[in-house]
Amino acid sequence: MVEQIKKSIRNVPDFPKEGILFKDITTLCKDPVMFVKTVDLMAHRYIDKEIDVVVGIEARGFVVGAALAYKLGAGIALVRKPGKLPHNTHKESYELEYGTDTLEIHTDAVEKGQNVIITDDLLATGGTAEAVIKLVNQMGGNIIECSFIVELEELKGREKLTPHPVYSLIKF
Ligand code: AMP
């Protein structure tokens, strides 16, 4: 089944710029069998973990995050690009290939001691998820795992997320 899910992901060469092979999960998400199986396989890991909040990273992380949260009976918290969240936020900047980017989360999105999963569609260099770990740590959340549909293993993103456990359903 995992092989079928893997095959349902579309490769888009040179997007968003030359040299990047973009892993497009829209082809996975639009297929009801693949999408449901993906969410079920990911959620299965956390059924007994008493997850309080799933933290989803804008924007594809909202898709997998909301589905996981529903399945686990947990809440969903949104990590967004600057200026999108209406209330008080924590901010965290991280390095990109050229320059920096910033992510925000509401200061009341996670309560101290709550069990948290951080999720996104894809783990590449790990810079994005590393910033989100810092945001969750500021609120005292207990990070159970960082969970991704796809991991690009050669970029070694999981090393940046140490010591937090990292899970990915599909590895390229
Ligand atoms: P990173 O911070 O390098 O781990 O990048 C992760 C973020 O960038 C995720 O939100 C991904 O959706 C996106 N991303 C990075 N590289 C790719 C890729 N090759 N294909 C699809 N999405 C990517």
Side-chain angles (χ1 to χ4, degrees):
M1 191 70 214
V2 173
E3 272 310 304
Q4 272 175 276
I5 297 171
K6 192 171 186 173
K7 282 194 193 121
S8 77
I9 297 169
R10 173 164 55 198
N11 288 319
V12 184
D14 299 321
F15 183 87
K17 59 183 180 186
E18 224 177 297
I20 304 280
L21 181 61
F22 194 86
K23 298 290 180 189
D24 176 16
I25 61 151
T26 64
T27 41
L28 180 163
C29 292
K30 74 168 186 178
D31 181 326
V33 177
M34 296 304 145
F35 184 62
V36 169
K37 199 68 199 168
T38 296
V39 174
D40 283 351
L41 286 168
M42 291 174 80
H44 180 73
R45 295 177 62 76
Y46 312 113
I47 292 292
D48 300 326
K49 297 282 195 286
E50 297 181 6
I51 302 303
D52 299 301
V53 184
V54 178
V55 173
I57 307 173
E58 182 170 353
R60 291 176 294 273
F62 295 169
V63 176
V64 57
L68 267 180
Y70 183 83
K71 188 89 189 167
L72 295 170
I76 170 94
L78 309 185
V79 171
R80 299 210 63 183
K81 301 278 165 60
K84 301 282 189 188
L85 289 169
H87 207 259
N88 299 333
T89 61
H90 292 300
K91 298 176 183 46
E92 197 60 54
S93 294
Y94 60 103
E95 300 289 324
L96 296 173
E97 201 178 341
Y98 302 102
T100 62
D101 214 341
T102 301
L103 290 171
E104 293 188 357
I105 193 166
H106 276 149
T107 52
D108 60 0
V110 174
E111 305 289 329
K112 195 172 189 302
Q114 280 190 317
N115 290 337
V116 173
I117 294 171
I118 294 171
T119 194
D120 202 354
D121 65 327
L122 184 141
L123 174 65
T125 66
T128 309
E130 185 186 27
V132 176
I133 286 171
K134 289 179 184 165
L135 289 170
V136 173
N137 281 339
Q138 279 188 64
M139 294 175 283
N142 176 32
I143 299 169
I144 301 296
E145 195 154 74
C146 300
S147 198
F148 305 88
I149 302 176
V150 178
E151 176 179 5
L152 305 181
E153 283 188 300
E154 65 182 24
L155 297 177
K156 298 186 166 52
R158 64 169 60 222
E159 288 177 10
K160 263 202 193 127
L161 313 186
T162 321
H164 301 288
V166 174
Y167 171 76
S168 60
L169 180 64
I170 291 158
K171 293 163 179 61
F172 284 100

